[in-house]
Amino acid sequence: MASTASFIAQFNHRNIKILQSMGYEVHVAANFTHYGTLSAKSNEQFMAWLASKKVVVHNIPVERGLGKFHQNVAVLFFLNRLMKENQFKIVHVHTPIASVLGRLAALKNHVSVVYTAHGFHFSKTSAWINWLIFPIEWLFSFCTSELLLINQEDFLLAKRWLHAKNTQYVPGVGINFRLLDQYNLSDHLSAKQELLATYHLPEKSRILISVGELSKRKNHRIVIEALAMLDLPDIHFVIAGRGSQKKNLTDLAKHLGIENQIHFLNYTKNIRHLHLAADLAVLPSLREGLSRAGLEAIRDGVYLLGADIRGIKDYILNEEIGRVFDPLDAKALSILIKNNIQRPRQNLTNTTVQRLMMFDRAAVDKQMREIYQSIGE
């Protein structure tokens, strides 16, 4: 069968497996030299996994941002040559600049394009300048076979204004919600004791967890400001992530006199263990596509305080799961933290679990298989 190339924005092993199970030869074109907020070890592990699955890898200097003009031109020429040589049947693009370059090359070579938009940069809550990107998305939608949106706000916007051949809502990359059945209260207590010992914290400490890179977009500073308003030294904020804002966040905590309550965990893959240890999770982002961190917190039994933005409020379906807040309002967040930090862990009702199963990886994988099949046919 004809081969297919894919840009991987969020390394989704399962899409590769789906395509291979359908008989496709899979190529992955991505930047494996500058891999963003991943750790070097995770990048190496992914490349090793690709090699073990006999995936053809193309290391290209495409960037997550706008990139440099000469660099983008070089990538475009490379992709054009790649598509000529391999006669691909499907190209699946993800990140904004990769989606533009990939669709240009695919248009020239008459290749069907699947584009997963991991959250448009323009939204109801974004700055007006972000809407300057809208005409680009509008133009390139005309050469998109399948446009996949991962949150409801983007989906409704795309259905109304964009012109892809087919537009579908696909709720993210999917997570394993079956793990909900494998959680119990003793898991929380043992994981919390281990975390308290790691940071040498008093036994009565309360743990607030946030998972996400240390960037302005992830907005961790609002949580630090909220904690400073509370004057409750037994609450400790653990941030799992790496990024350029670490020094600024550290300086802010010192300035507010709560540096002993803020703990940076750097990059970690053991997110489930962190969630099991937590008394409360917070996701204060200013912009998201569909935040996987929040879904994983819910799956692991943590009550979630999430920013009232698209990509987070999509799955805080009711107050049984969590609460939403204005990500610019530290006072409102401080009240929510105070009112919920001692909330006992409770299992979700069957009705709520069933509603969350749309985000389960099995449901997402089934939908992706059907999308690939429709293009193949």
Side-chain angles (χ1 to χ4, degrees), residues 152-169:
Q152 286 291 338
E153 184 179 316
D154 284 353
F155 172 66
L156 294 174
L157 183 149
K159 287 288 285 186
R160 182 174 182 181
W161 298 108
L162 303 185
H163 300 276
K165 185 176 180 182
N166 194 26
T167 301
Q168 295 195 52
Y169 169 60

Side-chain angles (χ1 to χ4, degrees), residues 168-182:
Q168 295 195 52
Y169 169 60
V170 178
V173 297
I175 67 165
N176 186 7
F177 260 107
R178 307 293 174 183
L179 289 173
L180 266 172
D181 298 332
Q182 300 176 25

Side-chain angles (χ1 to χ4, degrees), residues 330-358:
K331 182 63 177 177
L333 177 57
S334 70
I335 294 170
L336 284 175
I337 292 172
K338 183 178 180 180
N339 291 344
N340 291 282
I341 193 68
Q342 299 197 57
R343 172 185 285 268
R345 286 205 167 208
Q346 296 176 328
N347 292 329
L348 300 176
T349 61
N350 290 335
T351 301
T352 296
V353 171
Q354 287 305 310
R355 291 180 65 189
L356 287 168
M357 290 308 289
M358 67 184 294

